[in-house]
């Protein structure tokens, strides 16, 4: 990052990092389902449903649906 700052870059995005992390996690989930029959052992590494809904913007989409649906 220091090299980028020296070049005047204000922000650097690393979208591939998130994709690679999701792929790794998907593999862990699949293995847990295969080996254990559930994902209970991974719950402490999962985003709670309410937090996921907020992250995905569900409250806003619910408003849109209520207004136009």
């Amino acid at each position: 990052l220091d090299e980028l700052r020296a070049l005047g870059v204000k922000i650097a995005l690393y979208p591939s990092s998130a994709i690679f992390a999701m792929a790794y996690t998907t593999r862990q989930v699949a293995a847990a389902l295969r080996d254990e029959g559930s994902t209970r052992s991974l719950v402490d590494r999962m985003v709670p449903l309410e937090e996921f809904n907020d992250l995905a913007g569900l409250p806003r989409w619910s408003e849109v649906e209520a207004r136009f649906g």
Side-chain angles (χ1 to χ4, degrees):
L1 288 176
D2 290 336
E3 291 177 29
L4 293 175
R5 284 189 194 106
L7 294 171
V9 174
K10 302 285 186 213
I11 186 171
L13 302 177
Y14 297 90
S16 296
S17 296
I19 293 168
F20 296 156
M22 286 186 286
Y24 178 80
T25 301
T26 299
R27 193 174 359 180
Q28 288 184 313
V29 168
L33 285 169
R34 180 192 66 220
D35 299 341
E36 304 163 24
S38 78
T39 58
R40 281 187 215 114
S41 65
L42 303 174
V43 169
D44 64 329
R45 292 182 254 168
M46 294 182 185
V47 175
L49 180 60
E50 187 174 306
E51 186 177 336
F52 176 81
N53 288 341
D54 287 341
L55 182 66
L58 184 64
R60 176 67 181 129
W61 287 111
S62 294
E63 291 173 14
V64 170
E65 183 180 29
R67 184 172 177 192
F68 299 107

